[in-house]
Amino acid sequence: MGERPVRLMIVDDHPVVRDGLRGIFEGVPDIEVVAEAGDGHEALAQARAAAPDVVLMDLRMPGLDGVGAIERLSADHPRVRVVVLTTYDTDGDVSRALAAGVAGYLLKDAPREELQAAVRTAAAGGRVLAQRITSQLIDGLGRKPATAPSPRELEVLRLIARGAANKEVAKALLISETTVKTHLKHVFAKLGVDNRAAAVVAAMERNLI
């Protein structure tokens, strides 16, 4: 981010949690909390007003939930990096968040140093997953023999791994969204998985992307 601090927005429907998170970043010279929000709709408004670099996003909130807000942020503010910070680690929550294009997925029991490092990593363009989440995804891959995806399928998967939606993949590769979905279906079958997040993890584990 150069010389200026990383601009951080905190999104959580519990004021006490927001206060605690803000305290974690107080006095950190390279991170500045520039906005807070209590739900997804407020997060979108604050993103327009405060122009954060990174958003710490809760998942389950009233009104527009975290995944809905992430999808809107990705469309309206593609340079904003989102790190999920939640108490929920179910496969469904993780898969939906990763498929929406988040830069990270952490749990609320993470120590302050890990949260601070995650914000820096996200701002620098990297990704971060809680160790428990990584283990869950890997365990969920099973031990099915995998067939290597085709070069075109790997192109699609690389874009998905960067957080691109089907529409963005289609535009980048000059193909239809239907073709993107077909490629993903083939990738799932070849890697022995059933969702985008698991496909990305499986491909990374096999050094395919």
Side-chain angles (χ1 to χ4, degrees), residues 4-168:
R4 71 172 177 83
V6 175
R7 296 173 63 81
L8 175 66
M9 179 166 72
I10 297 169
V11 184
D12 195 288
D13 61 330
H14 293 98
V16 171
V17 173
R18 296 200 303 273
D19 288 346
L21 289 172
R22 186 171 61 250
I24 286 175
F25 295 98
E26 283 181 353
V28 179
D30 60 335
I31 301 173
E32 178 186 6
V33 177
V34 297
E36 297 179 20
D39 59 41
H41 290 296
E42 188 180 357
L44 296 175
Q46 289 290 346
R48 289 190 294 270
D53 301 308
V54 178
V55 177
L56 276 181
M57 179 78 74
D58 192 15
L59 280 186
R60 300 190 185 182
M61 298 179 291
L64 183 64
D65 70 2
V67 171
I70 292 164
E71 291 171 344
R72 291 277 298 278
L73 281 170
S74 296
D76 298 342
H77 307 278
R79 294 185 180 181
V80 175
R81 306 280 286 170
V82 179
V83 176
V84 167
L85 183 63
T86 181
T87 57
Y88 302 100
D89 62 354
T90 65
D91 290 346
D93 287 313
V94 175
S95 296
R96 288 181 66 222
L98 295 183
V102 298
Y105 196 111
L106 297 178
L107 302 176
K108 287 183 177 177
D109 59 0
R112 65 171 53 219
E113 294 80 8
E114 184 176 347
L115 291 176
Q116 293 167 358
V119 169
R120 297 185 184 104
T121 297
R127 292 178 181 273
V128 58
L129 290 177
Q131 182 58 48
R132 193 192 315 170
I133 302 301
T134 302
S135 298
Q136 278 182 209
L137 291 172
I138 293 173
D139 289 344
L141 297 179
R143 295 294 178 265
K144 300 176 183 178
T147 301
S150 70
R152 189 57 152 180
E153 290 162 356
L154 288 176
E155 285 184 304
V156 170
L157 198 53
R158 287 189 188 98
L159 291 171
I160 294 296
R162 295 172 190 162
N166 287 355
K167 184 176 181 180
E168 295 168 320

